[in-house]
Amino acid sequence: MIWNEEIECMAHDELKKLQLKRLQDVVKRAYETVPYYKKRFDEAGIKPEDIKNLDDIQKLPLTTKDDLRAAYPFGMFAVPRREIVEVHTSSGTTGKPTVSGYTKEDIKIWSEVMARGLTMFGVTEDDIIQNTHGYGLFTGGFGVHYGAQYIGATVIPISTGQTRRQIEIMKDFGTTILIVTPSYGLYLAEVAGEEGVGRGDLNLHSVGFGAEMWTEEMRQELQNRFNAPAYNIYGLTEIMGPGIALECPEQDGLHVMEDHFYPEIIDSESMEVLGNGETGELVLTTLTRHGMPIIRFRTKDITSLKSGTCSCGRTLIKMERITGRTDDMLKIRGVAVFPSQIEKALLKMDGIEPHYQIIVTRPQHLDELEVQVETSPHLFSDEVKELVGIKKKIEHFIHNEIGLRVNVTLVEPKTLPRSEGKAVRVIDKREL
Ligand code: DLL
């Protein structure tokens, strides 16, 4: 158990003071050691001394994934390469990957924030953690590993895949904590069912889900399948990996590790900073990272922030679950649609499985949205009339959620692709 009460329950004013001091330090270091920041700050006419209070952060330029890509591979490092003890990269699915470098001190901080987060889920040194995140350039495997070991829990570094083996080990080793992406979690639960392993055969106390979007409705589904509370883990390669924000037992937002990461919410069109409770794009600044300080990174993740003291006792600000990414948003006949809205609507239905895919086409210059969803096995063999009724009902739910008519196709159980990491939910066939 890693419970840093002094920080996690710090009075608001004290925390702000600490953040300001750390912000001033990191801005100075970034300016003096990373040519990218020197150039951007000079262009904006800002000097590190101009940061006199926390709001002055708004004077600093925003950093995007493209800026990091332009510095590929090691151009954002603020220390000589020999001080970097580990590197990770983003997956690179949308272009050149971005590289993240960590010093020994950074790894210590990563371990601590992740350990504090796992502690929120109730992890202690008595637990056995099955870590299904990939160990490699992806930050998921190592981030969770460092946090778990910092607590002193027993880690099963099984990594991704070998689904049947995962279940066997979960049962034989008595895994108490499972860490998995929501989509792989669903797949694991499905295979467990096939293997005759029921909810009662597992010894799980909690399951930590992260690395991709999931809805509150999906949480209910997963909790039911695993017979254990499901907690949210947030992070991204560019800032650190998992450990930036995690959920406490209240399951009502993720506490941001504010002593190390400074969150802001901006309107992604006007770039204006939004207030408490307003929804927009999350922007993060690393306050303590040495190897690669990141100032005002546009995450593209959509959320809002809520300050105040949580009933768990923590004063760390809470971030709502991520409802989508600015680049996930589909424009369908001019209407903004997020996959999370569709997931939410789907999971209100009985008789279907939580496996779905969204297909966008433009047959006659007009966008069409098709949602393919699996029916549950008992239903598929039932009457066509009933299936038509379900299809209509789902279309109605989705219409209510997004204000658009969509075409729902019910497919046979177990026919949509299963994910072992981050699920691909949207297939956009329009040539835009
Ligand atoms: O996914 C880090 C991570 C690993 C987080 C394991 C949690 C657990 P990237 O591959 O760089 O890093 O992807 C980061 O994934 O900007 C979000 O869009 C999305 N994401 C991560 N966690 C969540 C979450 C890891 N809890 C990108 N809810 C982020 C929704 C998430 N989206």
Side-chain angles (χ1 to χ4, degrees):
M1 195 171 123
I2 299 294
W3 164 235
N4 188 338
E5 187 173 357
E6 190 196 334
I7 292 288
E8 293 181 70
C9 299
M10 193 176 247
H12 189 72
D13 292 352
E14 287 301 306
L15 182 66
K16 295 289 147 202
K17 266 194 232 156
L18 178 73
Q19 285 181 316
L20 176 60
K21 165 85 187 52
R22 290 183 169 179
L23 179 67
Q24 288 168 329
D25 286 354
V26 75
V27 167
K28 187 160 182 291
R29 262 187 303 113
Y31 185 77
E32 287 170 359
T33 55
V34 184
Y36 161 80
Y37 289 115
K38 167 134 189 17
K39 180 163 174 284
R40 293 293 308 277
F41 293 5
D42 285 349
E43 279 165 7
I46 302 286
K47 291 269 176 275
E49 309 79 78
D50 296 333
I51 305 296
K52 298 202 166 63
N53 57 59
L54 279 175
D55 284 341
D56 288 335
I57 194 173
Q58 297 177 25
K59 298 179 183 161
L60 296 170
L62 293 156
T63 300
T64 65
K65 200 168 175 112
D66 282 340
D67 294 326
L68 302 190
R69 277 198 185 116
Y72 179 87
F74 299 155
M76 294 299 283
F77 290 178
V79 296
R81 213 266 309 132
R82 61 190 298 277
E83 287 179 37
I84 297 288
V85 298
E86 188 166 319
V87 287
H88 287 274
T89 75
S90 63
S91 61
T93 39
T94 52
K96 264 250 183 264
T98 53
V99 177
S100 216
Y102 308 77
T103 61
K104 256 189 200 161
E105 188 58 28
D106 295 333
I107 298 280
K108 230 157 86 195
I109 291 171
W110 192 8
S111 311
E112 190 197 322
V113 290
M114 194 57 214
R116 282 192 213 159
L118 290 171
T119 299
M120 294 185 200
F121 311 172
V123 177
T124 70
E125 52 198 357
D126 293 326
D127 279 300
I128 304 187
I129 302 195
Q130 187 159 335
N131 183 11
T132 75
H133 287 317
Y135 281 68
L137 288 171
F138 176 53
T139 53
F142 281 95
V144 169
H145 190 93
Y146 290 143
Q149 293 219 320
Y150 198 82
I151 292 176
T154 309
V155 186
I156 310 172
I158 188 162
S159 202
T160 306
Q162 314 178 68
T163 306
R164 278 169 215 280
R165 182 119 191 269
Q166 298 265 8
I167 291 155
E168 188 183 27
I169 285 189
M170 217 186 300
K171 223 175 76 189
D172 294 349
F173 292 14
T175 300
T176 54
I177 310 284
L178 176 68
I179 306 288
V180 65
T181 62
S183 58
Y184 190 39
L186 273 182
Y187 183 34
L188 268 179
E190 180 177 76
V191 176
E194 285 168 11
E195 302 280 297
V197 176
R199 291 162 26 118
D201 298 324
L202 301 176
N203 192 25
L204 294 175
H205 300 168
S206 7
V207 187
F209 292 97
E212 63 180 1
M213 184 282 296
W214 57 311
T215 56
E216 189 54 42
E217 287 71 15
M218 187 65 91
R219 188 210 301 269
Q220 301 306 327
E221 184 79 38
L222 289 162
Q223 292 192 148
N224 187 24
R225 291 188 182 219
F226 284 106
N227 197 24
Y231 296 106
N232 209 338
I233 307 178
Y234 173 78
L236 64 159
T237 314
E238 290 81 359
I239 297 293
M240 184 145 266
I244 293 165
L246 295 97
E247 248 176 353
C248 69
E250 295 302 310
Q251 295 185 314
D252 174 35
L254 298 86
H255 287 287
V256 181
M257 301 298 168
E258 277 185 285
D259 50 329
H260 297 291
F261 311 104
Y262 186 80
E264 299 169 87
I265 300 289
I266 62 163
D267 175 322
S268 49
E269 308 258 297
S270 69
M271 308 296 153
E272 231 171 85
V273 173
L274 302 176
N276 205 17
E278 288 186 277
T279 300
E281 178 179 345
L282 176 68
V283 167
L284 288 170
T285 297
T286 63
L287 292 175
T288 48
R289 205 168 156 196
H290 268 83
M292 202 175 102
I294 299 287
I295 313 277
R296 303 197 83 206
F297 183 69
R298 292 188 61 180
T299 64
K300 296 195 173 170
D301 291 322
I302 300 167
T303 181
S304 61
L305 297 171
K306 193 165 58 177
S307 55
T309 305
C310 178
S311 30
C312 75
R314 289 178 182 83
T315 49
L316 298 173
I317 206 164
K318 285 209 271 196
M319 174 183 113
E320 282 300 321
R321 66 167 56 248
I322 305 285
T323 51
R325 292 177 51 83
T326 52
D327 54 3
D328 253 8
M329 187 184 81
L330 292 162
K331 265 278 169 94
I332 307 293
R333 283 170 254 153
V335 178
V337 175
F338 286 97
S340 59
Q341 294 175 288
I342 296 187
E343 177 173 305
K344 212 169 138 184
L346 282 177
L347 297 192
K348 284 187 184 146
M349 280 289 303
D350 289 332
I352 58 158
E353 292 291 304
H355 300 285
Y356 66 96
Q357 206 155 45
I358 300 163
I359 296 160
V360 196
T361 52
R362 183 174 280 176
Q364 248 98 46
H365 307 293
L366 209 60
D367 300 329
E368 293 282 345
L369 198 98
E370 180 193 354
V371 180
Q372 297 186 342
V373 56
E374 287 182 12
T375 56
S376 54
H378 74 273
L379 220 125
F380 203 76
S381 53
D382 273 1
E383 289 205 6
V384 173
K385 216 170 83 199
E386 194 173 349
L387 289 178
V388 172
I390 293 213
K391 168 185 151 75
K392 289 252 166 328
K393 206 160 161 197
I394 304 175
E395 285 175 348
H396 176 71
F397 276 168
I398 297 180
H399 183 239
N400 270 352
E401 193 67 44
I402 66 175
L404 279 179
R405 295 208 178 282
V406 304
N407 183 22
V408 167
T409 309
L410 296 177
V411 300
E412 279 185 55
K414 301 188 185 168
T415 48
L416 292 178
R418 297 294 188 256
S419 142
E420 290 186 350
K422 302 191 189 222
V424 178
R425 295 291 190 200
V426 180
I427 300 175
D428 197 336
K429 295 184 175 165
R430 294 173 297 182
E431 277 158 20
L432 296 178

